[in-house]
Amino acid sequence: MKEQLAGSDEWQEFDATQECRPILLGLGNFDIFHTELGGKPFEGLTVRLFDPQTRLWTIYWADSNAMKLDGGKVGSFDGDIGEFFGREVVAGKDVIVKFHWDKRDPNAPIYSRAFSADAGRTWERNWYSNFSPR
């Protein structure tokens, strides 16, 4: 979504590449995301770590704009559907962030992100990634 938490319904579409690799004996993975946004190169890094004792994943993100690792989103999968939650400040608002993964089709998983500025009563979905192998 071009403008988040502003009642916008205007979307920006673009192509990107993402390379993912396992780390830490399979208990984690990382990926690097490459694209252009507004005609400028953009790169993101995701680090995902699994805690076998709690059975929870923590997902961290950093990108070439913010230049810092975020506080992480924590959650798990129930079958092929995963939900992960955390907090961020977006457009000056304290929001709950939800990452949603749908891997029912392993060749075309879908990721989406949503924000809630009202303690989870309503959600604004503002990012979708539709993956396909190269």
Side-chain angles (χ1 to χ4, degrees):
M1 186 170 290
K2 279 193 172 183
E3 202 173 349
Q4 300 156 2
L5 298 174
S8 174
D9 62 359
E10 190 176 354
W11 289 87
Q12 177 181 4
E13 291 188 32
F14 54 89
D15 291 324
T17 60
Q18 195 161 344
E19 305 162 47
C20 187
R21 299 186 197 284
I23 58 172
L24 304 173
L25 303 173
L27 293 176
N29 60 63
F30 78 92
D31 65 55
I32 299 179
F33 174 89
H34 304 274
T35 194
E36 280 193 13
L37 296 176
K40 297 179 183 175
F42 178 85
E43 191 170 85
L45 168 72
T46 310
V47 177
R48 299 174 192 88
L49 303 173
F50 181 70
D51 182 333
Q53 294 191 356
T54 64
R55 314 264 327 137
L56 295 173
W57 286 90
T58 304
I59 303 172
Y60 300 95
W61 169 260
D63 63 52
S64 54
N65 289 341
M67 295 304 299
K68 66 177 186 168
L69 214 52
D70 72 7
K73 313 302 177 278
V74 178
S76 63
F77 280 87
D78 182 6
D80 290 334
I81 304 297
E83 292 201 327
F84 307 85
F85 296 88
R87 298 195 82 89
E88 290 183 16
V89 175
V90 178
K93 299 174 183 173
D94 182 32
V95 300
I96 301 171
V97 180
K98 176 170 51 172
F99 292 173
H100 181 87
W101 277 96
D102 180 339
K103 59 179 189 156
R104 288 176 288 188
D105 181 346
N107 292 313
I110 300 168
Y111 160 80
S112 65
R113 180 185 70 192
F115 294 156
S116 176
D118 60 8
R121 287 188 295 280
T122 62
W123 292 93
E124 174 193 86
R125 289 214 187 250
N126 52 53
W127 184 282
Y128 289 92
S129 293
N130 297 294
F131 293 90
S132 61
R134 283 198 228 176

